[in-house]
Amino acid sequence: MWKLTLRMSPHGRCCLAVRHCFDTMMFRLVWGQCVHAMGVVLEQAETDAVVRAALEGLRIATRLSAHYDVDGVADSAVLVLAKFSSALNPNMPKPRVNFGRDAKACAAVETMFLIVTRYGDCVRSSWTNVLELVLRLDKLDLLPPALEALLDSDVWGVPTTGSAAAAEAAASSQDGPAANGTASARSSDDTATADKGPASPGGAVGRPLKSARQRRAAGASSRRNVGGGVGGGFLRSVTQLIALQEPEYEAKYATEVEKECEAAALDVLHNKCAIQDVFADSRFLKQEALQSLVAAIISAPGQLPSPPPLSAGQQGSGGVLPGEAGFHRSTMDKAAAGVGVDWEAADLCLDLLLVVLLRNRDGLSLLW
């Protein structure tokens, strides 16, 4: 074919162009069809080899888009892969077992978070799908402990006591007997302080700090109790019915195969996806990708109720008066109960937003 083209050309020779000068143009022409084709192959795949080949094709397409600076490829790949996370639905029975049993879904979710963490600069609109999956994982109590530790340390200032205790033990073993006496005295002081309660981020001694998930659950339950009234008994009955699908109930009556599937799901989500890196490494994102991530976090919980208007006395004093703070909070909670706000998701998004803003405090003017 090439010889026939040379023979039919008017001058009988071929002019060589600059090497790789048309690669970007060719990639812009074919990436849409390639990503769509790999998505169809992944949906119809029945063997592990075909699944691995399709996922590798999506990863390579995203890597090429980052190299040639082509927009839309990473978003399309994330949209294709996010479809396979449908098993992680809080409204379905045994979502952990169903997700762990589906090897294709586990591999697709792992590849999705690999693309988001490694090529986050190319992600724009698909941050919404990522946040939606994170909120579903929170409802299923499947968020990795590393992400909870990130929220505790960055947002609430809870220290990582394990690493500090190990460092003190190593230092005391190197310093000798004198250091051991000092360490024992310090440990006795710490024990006395722990009896009073651990110090809060501001330095005051108070009640023990809860984890990020416990704070979100406590805040959501307190807001749900605002409605009360006639429907309280019905809501309690529905809550007890839903409790039959809680992870503790499922784990108590699960078979060995179901326990293995649940362990596989936890291994993928906690050890292979690195969900915490999406927010911890957000300071390395480009401006447009970072702004899209912040916008997705803000819009993820849905429409929140607006605060009530300030009265004339409040406007004159510059805010809500101390005696009226509880009244305005109860007013917002009742308005939210009418709208159906998911307060637990809103609290999680607020924590994630604070993590991203604190990690990008040098360029806060671009986000605020």
Side-chain angles (χ1 to χ4, degrees):
M1 186 66 185
W2 182 249
K3 293 181 179 179
L4 180 61
T5 303
L6 291 177
R7 192 180 303 114
M8 294 178 62
S9 59
H11 301 289
R13 60 177 183 170
C14 179
C15 298
L16 297 178
V18 181
R19 189 178 182 182
H20 304 306
C21 64
F22 295 110
D23 289 354
T24 305
M25 186 181 299
M26 292 178 62
F27 181 73
R28 290 179 183 275
L29 292 175
V30 302
W31 74 262
Q33 293 81 358
C34 292
V35 171
H36 178 70
M38 285 182 284
V40 173
V41 171
L42 185 61
E43 290 180 359
Q44 304 297 329
E46 297 180 355
T47 60
D48 294 339
V50 177
V51 172
R52 288 195 299 269
L55 294 176
E56 183 67 15
L58 292 174
R59 191 183 65 82
I60 292 176
T62 309
R63 185 177 65 183
L64 290 175
S65 69
H67 177 72
Y68 293 123
D69 196 15
V70 179
D71 297 332
V73 183
D75 290 329
S76 299
V78 171
L79 287 176
V80 169
L81 296 172
K83 298 177 182 178
F84 295 91
S85 65
S86 58
L88 294 170
N89 190 348
N91 299 323
M92 296 178 60
K94 298 183 179 181
R96 299 185 178 196
V97 177
N98 295 332
F99 179 73
R101 186 183 291 119
D102 193 350
K104 184 193 300 185
C106 293
V109 171
E110 180 182 352
T111 305
M112 185 189 75
F113 280 104
L114 174 65
I115 290 175
V116 170
T117 54
R118 189 170 297 180
Y119 309 106
D121 289 336
C122 304
V123 179
R124 297 292 185 271
S125 60
S126 58
W127 285 120
T128 305
N129 302 88
V130 176
L131 265 297
E132 180 185 356
L133 179 56
V134 170
L135 294 180
R136 280 189 281 149
L137 293 179
D138 179 60
K139 290 182 180 298
L140 296 172
D141 197 12
L142 287 176
L143 286 182
L147 179 58
E148 296 288 355
L150 177 67
L151 297 177
D152 288 335
S153 60
D154 280 22
V155 178
W156 298 99
V158 179
T160 53
T161 55
S163 59
E168 282 194 17
S172 62
S173 62
Q174 293 178 359
D175 292 341
N180 291 332
T182 306
S184 61
R186 187 184 299 112
S187 62
S188 62
D189 294 340
D190 293 341
T191 305
T193 305
D195 294 336
K196 299 177 182 178
S200 62
V205 177
R207 57 184 178 179
L209 292 171
K210 299 180 180 179
S211 65
R213 177 169 177 79
Q214 290 173 344
R215 282 189 295 270
R216 293 195 299 272
S221 61
S222 64
R223 291 184 175 93
R224 290 193 200 102
N225 294 332
V226 173
V230 180
F234 175 74
L235 292 178
R236 281 192 296 270
S237 302
V238 174
T239 304
Q240 293 174 359
L241 180 62
I242 295 176
L244 299 178
Q245 299 180 359
E246 289 295 323
E248 294 80 4
Y249 183 87
E250 294 179 358
K252 184 177 179 180
Y253 298 97
T255 61
E256 293 297 331
V257 177
E258 291 177 346
K259 291 180 180 179
E260 292 178 359
C261 294
E262 184 174 352
L266 292 176
D267 179 62
V268 170
L269 296 173
H270 290 182
N271 302 326
K272 298 181 180 179
C273 288
I275 303 175
Q276 68 278 359
D277 293 343
V278 176
F279 309 98
D281 296 340
S282 59
R283 60 181 178 274
F284 301 114
L285 295 176
K286 294 181 180 178
Q287 178 180 350
E288 294 182 1
L290 183 59
Q291 291 175 345
S292 301
L293 173 60
V294 172
I297 294 175
I298 294 174
S299 60
Q303 184 68 29
L304 297 178
S306 302
L310 298 178
S311 62
Q314 295 167 358
Q315 293 177 359
S317 61
V320 180
L321 298 178
E324 299 180 356
F327 171 75
H328 279 266
R329 181 178 179 182
S330 62
T331 303
M332 287 189 62
D333 289 341
K334 291 180 180 179
V339 177
V341 176
D342 188 354
W343 283 113
E344 191 170 352
D347 291 340
L348 174 60
C349 290
L350 180 59
D351 290 348
L352 295 176
L353 180 61
L354 290 176
V355 168
V356 174
L357 293 179
L358 290 174
R359 294 284 172 142
N360 295 271
R361 54 185 174 270
D362 294 337
L364 193 61
S365 60
L366 302 175
L367 302 172
W368 198 259

